[in-house]
Amino acid sequence: IGMTRRAISAAFLKSSPRLLEPLYAVEVVVPRPQSNGVYEVLAARRGEIQVLDHHNDNGFEGNGNGNSAAAAAAASQMVTINALMPVLESFGFTEALRQKTHGTAFPVMSFDHFEPLSGSIDDVDDAVRGGGGDNGGESACVRQMIAVRQRKQLHNADTLPRPADFEDRL
């Protein structure tokens, strides 16, 4: 069984596999003055804004002439921000969002789709495969694989296996 497992692992590595990343559809309702905090949190977590919708919660549209009723209506205007965000980046998202918006943002997240990560396992250079070297120039795919190996505390977590590691040696 050990030989079969090693042969399948080596064949998998030689087949140019791609990693798919799950993405959440995120909808955030926030008052307009705090919307910059939503943009900051989404940008820090690789979020991509899809749709931005402005609406008034009291039905009053200000005419912009400077009177206090118009200013109050503009201040109460709510913004709905729809974005896509990787599931991996969603942990702690609500807390960070509430902190940046002073508790006024209301996020809703739901699974949307899978998207291929940029790059592939073949992008790994010899420094990363063999250990040592700088890991700063590789693709998002390679960074994710190394991060998962480190989180799972695998043997040689900062390196990735190569097909030759699974060959029988006599």
Side-chain angles (χ1 to χ4, degrees):
I1 291 185
M3 289 189 300
T4 304
R5 189 176 113 207
R6 288 194 307 266
I8 290 172
S9 295
F12 176 77
L13 289 175
K14 286 192 173 252
S15 69
S16 300
R18 303 280 305 203
L19 288 182
L20 297 177
E21 181 175 43
L23 295 178
Y24 273 148
V26 180
E27 179 180 280
V28 181
V29 179
V30 64
R32 183 184 288 229
Q34 278 79 33
S35 62
N36 283 339
V38 177
Y39 299 135
E40 289 175 19
V41 173
L42 283 170
R45 294 173 178 261
R46 296 189 296 140
E48 297 177 15
I49 295 175
Q50 303 294 308
V51 178
L52 180 63
D53 182 30
H54 301 278
H55 54 88
N56 231 335
D57 62 348
N58 61 6
F60 177 78
E61 290 294 331
N63 58 10
N65 63 6
N67 65 21
S68 61
S76 69
Q77 191 172 34
M78 300 295 283
V79 177
T80 301
I81 300 169
N82 292 322
L84 293 174
M85 182 176 62
V87 171
L88 185 64
E89 303 288 342
S90 69
F91 301 105
F93 173 72
T94 302
E95 292 81 17
L97 192 62
R98 296 253 166 97
Q99 183 180 19
K100 284 283 190 182
T101 62
H102 308 291
T104 60
F106 299 97
V108 176
M109 295 184 284
S110 62
F111 173 76
D112 193 56
H113 68 280
F114 286 97
E115 193 171 277
L117 278 173
S118 64
S120 72
I121 295 176
D122 298 333
D123 296 341
V124 181
D125 61 359
D126 288 333
V128 176
R129 286 228 193 250
D134 180 25
N135 294 348
E138 68 270 355
S139 67
C141 179
V142 173
R143 285 192 304 273
Q144 286 294 96
M145 288 188 300
I146 290 175
V148 168
R149 290 178 62 83
Q150 289 171 343
R151 187 176 67 237
K152 290 186 173 193
Q153 299 177 351
L154 296 177
H155 180 68
N156 294 332
D158 356 339
T159 63
L160 297 175
R162 50 185 164 221
D165 295 341
F166 299 100
E167 294 175 355
D168 264 344
R169 294 182 189 95
L170 296 176

